[in-house]
Amino acid sequence: MLRKESLPLFEMMSLEEIVAGARFTHEALCDYAVGANDGRVYLLFKDWNSKDLYSYLVAVLDIDWEAGRCIGKQVYDLGDGYRTEYCWVSALGDDFLLVWCRCRYNDGDPERNGLLIGRDGTVRRDYCFGDGIEQCLVLKDGTIVTSYFDEGVWGNYGWGGETDESHPIGWTGLTAWRSDGRNVWSAGDYQENPCSECDAISQDTQGRLWFYKDGEIMLRDFLQDRNEVIVSSLRGVVEVRDSEAFAVTPDGQRLLFDGGYEDFYRRFFVLAFDGETWQLEAEVIPELNGTPIEPSQYYLERKLSDHRTLWLTASGMLCGYRFV
């Protein structure tokens, strides 16, 4: 029988405390992420008015990950009048990268669904990352990674088919970009028929991209310009359904894997590398203030993007866990 272990979370700050004194409410939260270089937590809040214009605010939390506590907060109001809806925030240098998941082709004049903006609201540049984006991640060297769900792979919103003889931008399920918007890599290097979604992406402390695609854990090192398949398949190792994320320990020997849903409950597993293959080590149960949250009571939303993980409870408490 697979053993079960507790995963002790620590409280950072409630959403109400984070936006206290700002013109946004805690219900306006649409994304939160850990900065790869600084370990800060970035939260994106969005408001909408009747003229289909959006307002944005980014809150930044300073976290002592070893002590398990929040030690500071800054709030940046990016202003009003944005015509694009954004759903992700990442730190890119001293600026914020905002990304929206959909993008219309517009007969060869596609929408710009990425925005690089300064903390004072100054727009640096915009981007077209394509349609059907599942996740967005910025690596330590500033490489922007976008993964795609089925509509981004096969074409929708005017991409592909009769309106575009080329592949949609996301046809391999995963692409990488430089901060100036150049597309520099895609997951097509791995497979003869790469047209498939990418289920989950992560990174390690060296800034290498890890991803789970077609049942395989793979690695891309942009600094060494090298691809590597870590294990041929996880099939038979762990049952994964609709996985979205995983975390990587700093030594790259263990993974905290979002195993997807089973009987409508989300499950989390730890996989350990034995030198040749990945082995299923344990199922973990999130625990807050010493109280385990049973599988039938999962109400956590989570972000697993490197070894520093974020969890948001239904009561609006932002929590963390350092996977080492």
Side-chain angles (χ1 to χ4, degrees):
M1 179 180 293
L2 181 64
R3 76 173 189 267
K4 295 187 178 181
E5 298 180 351
S6 65
L7 191 150
L9 311 181
F10 66 87
E11 294 184 351
M12 291 181 176
M13 188 178 290
S14 72
L15 296 183
E16 289 187 351
E17 291 178 290
I18 291 172
V19 295
R23 61 191 178 105
F24 287 65
T25 66
H26 66 279
E27 290 92 349
L29 178 72
C30 56
D31 188 41
Y32 48 100
V34 178
N37 284 290
D38 56 20
R40 292 186 173 96
V41 174
Y42 296 82
L43 302 99
L44 179 65
F45 295 84
K46 172 180 61 183
D47 195 15
W48 170 84
N49 64 33
S50 59
K51 297 181 180 179
D52 288 333
L53 297 176
Y54 298 90
S55 305
Y56 292 98
L57 177 147
V58 175
V60 182
L61 304 183
D62 296 302
I63 305 298
D64 185 333
W65 285 93
E66 292 191 10
R69 61 192 180 94
C70 179
I71 56 176
K73 179 188 77 169
Q74 304 87 42
V75 176
Y76 303 91
D77 193 328
L78 302 184
D80 309 314
Y82 294 84
R83 296 189 177 278
T84 301
E85 181 179 8
Y86 299 107
C87 56
W88 288 296
V89 62
S90 300
L92 183 55
D94 294 327
D95 301 321
F96 303 129
L97 176 68
L98 309 182
V99 179
W100 172 234
C101 60
R102 305 314 304 253
C103 175
R104 297 186 182 277
Y105 184 66
N106 288 339
D107 294 324
D109 184 23
E111 294 175 325
R112 313 289 287 180
N113 59 337
L115 184 72
L116 186 63
I117 187 169
R119 303 188 180 206
D120 61 355
T122 301
V123 173
R124 310 296 190 202
R125 66 172 65 245
D126 59 12
Y127 307 88
C128 175
F129 292 132
D131 184 46
I133 299 174
E134 179 73 29
Q135 297 182 66
C136 179
L137 185 67
V138 175
L139 305 181
K140 290 185 69 173
D141 68 350
T143 300
I144 303 165
V145 179
T146 47
S147 67
Y148 298 83
F149 55 81
D150 56 353
E151 293 184 16
V153 171
W154 302 108
N156 205 341
Y157 276 41
W159 295 88
E162 297 179 357
T163 60
D164 181 12
E165 295 180 357
S166 64
H167 293 296
I169 288 177
W171 75 284
T172 66
L174 191 65
T175 62
W177 317 76
R178 296 301 183 206
S179 59
D180 61 4
R182 288 181 294 126
N183 191 326
V184 294
W185 174 87
S186 78
D189 296 341
Y190 285 87
Q191 302 159 305
E192 293 182 4
N193 183 22
C195 293
S196 64
E197 304 170 53
C198 182
D199 295 294
I201 56 179
S202 188
Q203 65 178 306
D204 58 25
T205 55
Q206 300 177 54
R208 299 176 300 180
L209 171 69
W210 293 61
F211 59 100
Y212 173 66
K213 191 173 187 286
D214 295 333
E216 297 181 337
I217 293 288
M218 306 184 211
L219 176 67
R220 169 68 186 181
D221 189 334
F222 287 96
L223 294 179
Q224 300 295 325
D225 193 23
R226 182 176 63 194
N227 301 328
E228 183 178 350
V229 177
I230 302 303
V231 65
S232 59
S233 178
L234 289 186
R235 298 182 183 92
V237 178
V238 62
E239 186 69 25
V240 175
R241 297 186 179 93
D242 301 322
S243 178
E244 296 178 358
F246 61 98
V248 183
T249 53
D251 62 8
Q253 298 298 301
R254 298 168 73 233
L255 307 177
L256 172 58
F257 218 95
D258 168 8
Y261 284 98
E262 180 175 298
D263 298 329
F264 300 104
Y265 306 126
R266 188 168 287 281
R267 304 179 69 187
F268 303 94
F269 302 97
V270 173
L271 303 177
F273 193 63
D274 65 5
E276 295 182 359
T277 61
W278 292 98
Q279 301 294 326
L280 183 58
E281 185 175 278
E283 179 178 356
V284 295
I285 308 297
E287 175 186 289
L288 184 59
N289 296 326
T291 302
I293 303 171
E294 297 299 329
S296 61
Q297 298 174 322
Y298 277 152
Y299 58 89
L300 297 174
E301 295 182 9
R302 73 279 164 275
K303 289 280 187 178
L304 314 180
S305 56
D306 61 10
H307 71 288
R308 297 159 299 192
T309 70
L310 299 174
W311 308 70
L312 180 64
T313 71
S315 64
M317 176 59 68
L318 186 67
C319 305
Y321 175 73
R322 192 167 66 101
F323 182 55
V324 294

